[in-house]
Each structure stands twice: as structure tokens, then as C-alpha cells.
Amino acid sequence: REAEMLVYLLRHAIAQDRAASDSARDLTVDGLAQARALTEKFKQFFPIVDRVLCSPYNRAQQTASAVMTLFPDLALTTDESIKPGGDVYGVLDAIEGSDVQHLLIVSHNPFLSNLLSVMVDGTMESHRYVANATLHCLSMDVVAPGCAEIVYMLEP
């Protein structure tokens, strides 16, 4: 039996409505507070994380920085493939091909909601929704569509 893999999906906290570009939108004051509150809750689960993948967009990077305080020895990996319109199946293949046991992905919708739906239900048609500053912990024995179970979900 293969070892269980844990994948944490975290959507960025509340961001500004407008900026010079979508990628330049920063977290609001409330968003920064949300990210810190979520980090405090996550800490109570004594999470182990081997790698953190983060979208290059400002709001995801800022949300990730709050959570990274729990993992001072880890470097953040910026990943272009997990932007809002990222390829869910491509990312799932990359996760399967990685040697990581505990992965945190900090990203956006629709990407995260689609990824959650595919991981748990095997299809995007189930339309699972990931709200701002919400973290889903998924357990997988096999990295494939429909093979994840939600262990817990945290909100700020």
C-alpha cells in the first residue's frame, strides 16, 4: 500500500476589487487579517508541509506569506500553472509525478474549485466551491481524479 499523501488547497484571502492588472490585486486589510486568522487555526493541526506551490499573483503570494510563518525552513515555489485559469489535469499529473508527501497549493478560483471537484469527485461537474481564505486538507492514497477524501476544512 502506498503512503498517504496530503494536499492542502488554500484560496487567497479577500483582495482589492481593482488594480493595474488582475495579478497586481493586493489583499485588503480584512484579507490580511483573514490570512493571519486562518494561519492560527491551521497551526493547531500541527501540519507538515514539504512543498508550497503558490500562484505568482500578489494576493496569493501575500496569503502564502502568512502561512509560511508556520514553515520557516521552507522556500515558497511560485508556479505559473496554478493561476486562476490553470490546467487542473496538468497540475494533478505534476502532483502525481512529484516526490512530495505533504503539499500546500495557494491559488485562486476557478482553478481551486475545479481542482477540488476533480480530486474528490473525479469531475468538475460537481462544482465544489472554495471560498476566500479557506483551506481544504485532502488525503489521497492514489493521486488520480476522484481519489481524494476531505480530511478537514478551515475557514478564518
Side-chain angles (χ1 to χ4, degrees), residues 105-118:
I105 297 176
V106 185
S107 184
H108 315 264
N109 277 342
F111 174 76
L112 279 180
S113 292
N114 289 338
L115 183 60
L116 178 64
S117 300
V118 167

Side-chain angles (χ1 to χ4, degrees), residues 8-136:
Y8 302 97
L9 303 180
L10 172 59
R11 184 172 170 208
H12 65 81
I14 294 176
Q16 300 167 320
D17 289 334
R18 289 192 185 76
S21 67
D22 185 41
S23 62
R25 287 170 48 212
D26 287 323
L27 294 184
T28 61
V29 172
D30 286 346
L32 289 164
Q34 269 189 332
R36 283 193 292 270
L38 185 82
T39 300
E40 283 307 305
K41 285 191 178 173
F42 191 30
K43 183 163 86 179
Q44 295 165 12
F45 286 82
F46 302 101
I48 297 169
V49 171
D50 307 317
R51 185 172 300 151
V52 182
L53 297 181
C54 185
S55 155
Y57 288 21
N58 287 8
R59 57 193 181 273
Q61 294 273 331
Q62 291 164 337
T63 302
S65 338
V67 181
M68 292 301 286
T69 59
L70 301 179
F71 313 107
D73 302 334
L74 276 186
L76 185 69
T77 305
T78 299
D79 188 336
E80 292 285 331
S81 69
I82 59 173
K83 294 196 287 205
D87 170 18
V88 168
Y89 292 98
V91 169
L92 205 52
D93 287 345
I95 293 171
E96 185 188 15
S98 78
D99 56 353
V100 174
Q101 213 60 50
H102 306 93
L103 176 66
L104 170 60
I105 297 176
V106 185
S107 184
H108 315 264
N109 277 342
F111 174 76
L112 279 180
S113 292
N114 289 338
L115 183 60
L116 178 64
S117 300
V118 167
M119 289 174 81
V120 175
D121 304 313
T123 173
M124 289 186 212
E125 301 307 309
S126 60
H127 298 294
R128 287 180 182 265
Y129 180 72
V130 179
N132 284 107
T134 300
L135 180 135
H136 287 78

